[in-house]
Amino acid sequence: MSLMEKQNFFDSKAVDGLDRVDGRLKVTGAARYSAEFPIPKLTYGVLVTSTVAGGKIQSIDAKKAEHAPGVLAVISHFNAPQIPGYSEGSNPAKGQTTKGQPLRVFSDDTIYFYGQPVALVVADTLERAQFAAGLVQAQYQKASFQTDFDTNVTAADFPSQAKNRNSNGDYLRGEADAYKNAPVKIEAEYVIPTEVHNPMELQSIIAVWDTADKVTVYDKTQSLKGAQGTIAQAFKIPVENVQVVATYVGGAFGNALRTWPHEIAAVMAAQKVGRPVKVVISREQMFTMVGYRPYTWQKVGLGATADGKLVGISHEAISQTSTYEEFTEGTVNVSKFLYACPNVNTRYKILPLNVSTPTWMRGPGEASGAFALDCAMDELAYQLNLDPIELRLRNHADTDPERNLPWSSKYLKECYQEAADRIGWFKRNPKPRSMKTEDGMLIGYGMGTGSFSAGRSAATASIQMSADGTYTIQCATTDIGPGTATAMVQIASDVLQVPVEKIKFQLGNSSFPKAPSQGGSSTVSTVGSAVTAVCISLKNKLGELAIGQGEAASVKPADLTFANGQISSKDQSIKIAYADVLKKHSLPNLEVTEESKSGEERRKYSFYSFSVHFVEVNVHPATGQVKVKRVVSCADAGKIINHKTAGSQVIGGAIGGIGMALMEEAVIDNRFGRYVNNNLADYHVPVHADIPAIDAVFIDKKDPYINPMGSKGVGEISLIGMAAAVANAVFHATGKRVRDLPITPDKLV
Amino acid sequence: MEKDQCSVPDENLNENSGSSRRDFLKKSTFLSAIALTPVSLVTAAEKEMDEKLAAVFEKVPLKLEINGVKHALSVEPRVTLLDLLREQLQLTGTKKGCDHGQCGACTVHVNGKRQNSCLTLAVMHDGKKVTTIEGLANGADLHPMQEAFIKHDGFQCGYCTPGQIMSAVACIREGHANSETEIREYMSGNICRCGAYPNIVNAITEVKNGGQKV
């Protein structure tokens, strides 16, 4: 039975809207996150960080700390055990960086950025470790450093990887800068400041050496296999000797996709003190140790004919990275495919500064890029005196203009229509600063488009069926919040035709069958396909056993029907419950493992999810305070497995986009290279009072090619395009175009 | 400025500081060690004994009733209520999100009132009743707020959830759940980075309107 035979996937709404299978554990406090495992003889590690942004560590006076009660070790580069993987020039804390090497914790005296770990104090209680960490005195030989983007921007260069291909990474379709000669054109610069993921759970790890060459880590990660491989490589032990447990992850949004220095430090410390070590980094340290969305400058030029057909798009971006590692992302990608346009050129550069390395943050570079592109589209629409939706419809890409392939599925036009109707788009007066509430607040409507690659890679799942009719599926994926286990239980229930209560989905352990990182909106697509495959495989096995050697042996597998937990043949010679098949053959259980991956279809079609965000804001005319009053987000994410949890994801993404548009900005004091708002009181994220009811809508139509479920991803597109929608709404309300985020009141008065 | 009753007179500061007491303990331990122990073991014993003594002398007795269970504890005065719950009593349902009272993940009830447990020392609550998320349900029966959070999907990753729920219950008890606007205002100390706010407001509204005892 081929996977694609399962055409009727989720046509039944029987399990849609299922409550989260782990909901009870989460509301009772019983769900265990990585810092919460009770480990005997546990010790606590607290990191001491640099107070300069560049230079060398001259000395570290650890005497007082070492003599403080309960202290087991003060580890710095002066006494740290060698990390074997460090000395071999390999990449012991790898991530998808194009050049440079990840920060090698405690390996030498170089300071690259303010807040870099310089020592780890290990003590027998948290309080003792914290107290002793405060006693460590480091002396530095200061060197000059650069953290100011604007004054250093001329030093920006092409990523090494692009330079190695002799292409600089520039993209050109048709003629470069064609917009400049168009009848109608706009050219504008946009800035997105550094934003920090700031999941509510602090990055945490407990490292336990079980034997001299075997370690277990309870680690906050989105990538079990990634963490496993990285730790194995760093400590030169076999991969199977590293067990990574991440049963629950308290949010991550990208910052747990790679293995960071504090994780290596904890594993190293546990080895040194001969006891388990727990390291929970502080909220302040979350700003410098686990990545962030990089400060990005962009310039967009759009040119169109008088009737609103795009003639040229030019999109240029410069993003900051660290001095020791190149981080790149797809900031300008969105301009290559989102709208039909014969002439497109993009350029992407990076600027090394004395900061820590950025990483992917929800929507990653595409979210930064879509902010610029879709604000520019709004500006062009006003220039053309055309409705912003009409402009987008006139330039709708019916096929992928970048790869010259048909879309696997695309219902973007339906998204525009549905969301516009819901918010009452066409009832507004499009003239800027033309609408007011009764109490004098300026009303604005804005919209933005989002799109992100709908990925699918390889994953393996196992299923064990017990004779009591229960099923346990295992896969080494994680759940950072979307409700992975819930969706997988639904998929298995649908394929197996057994009730959800009979099925358990276990994740969060590297010893389970292989899955990729939970990132890039591809978990349902990738892991869901493996779950489908393993369930089909189990059914086939049950079918073979049911046919058996007896009188029913003439029945062909294709003649079997699987429904309501029963196998039956067309001629009714077989009619047996799944569980009875096992009993009949005296099998205590039946176990199957299957891998599933994408195939040829990825060469024939272009796979993307799409979204549209509409926003209504109120702006106080005197103070410039912006209040988001209504949001409608409509997503084309293929078939929706669970409208409740997917809806929550869309709502959450929209809220992330509101934060991006109106609040979030990590501010660095360039005199010291230090963040001045590295806490949740000063780094503003949306709170209850900032957020209205949000209408999350799905087109909910299957993608015929992506995977057996027909599901595309929803995580990124729920945020991508949202900041543009808010910024465009603020323009409509006030007549003022704010192109540097966040749109704080001072920029409107 | 007038000093409040908690402040320590300046002249006692040095005497009462941890380091001077530790110096005294070190000396006394050292002396007793010399008197009772062979010379070769003096150094090792000195350090270990010092730590044991420090551990005893630096702790104070504390009585707390947590989720209906009476605890007679001995804790260091610097231990926060949050760290006591999470690190010493294994009540890890209460979460640490910022340790600065800025996110609300650590919200518990102390004598029925919501409190950021990271922002208060455990010893300040001698004799008080603490309720954490683990103590909210009535045995196997979930509290109506817990039920409502599941029904309305008032969470994603689940990390802020215990704090949100403890705050939500208090919000209704305080009489601050009379409209969605009021709920949003009085729940704004609890940050949810996954963005479950609208669902949380729906859950609280339903419980409030349901009229069940919270």
Side-chain angles (χ1 to χ4, degrees), chain A residues 357-404:
Chain A
T357 308
T359 196
W360 303 280
M361 178 167 160
R362 194 174 192 174
E366 286 80 351
S368 307
F371 161 66
L373 178 64
D374 255 36
C375 284
M377 284 293 277
D378 202 66
E379 300 199 35
L380 182 66
Y382 274 96
Q383 191 103 318
L384 287 159
N385 200 19
L386 202 60
D387 188 281
I389 298 178
E390 185 55 33
L391 175 64
R392 284 165 176 83
L393 291 176
R394 288 188 191 178
N395 295 286
H396 183 265
D398 297 329
T399 57
D400 180 352
E402 182 189 4
R403 299 206 293 154
N404 274 321

Side-chain angles (χ1 to χ4, degrees), chain A residues 540-549 581-582 584-585 587 590:
Chain A
N540 289 344
K541 217 164 189 178
L542 283 168
E544 283 167 26
L545 288 169
I547 292 169
Q549 311 289 327
V581 175
L582 268 67
K584 198 174 147 193
H585 289 81
L587 294 168
L590 197 56

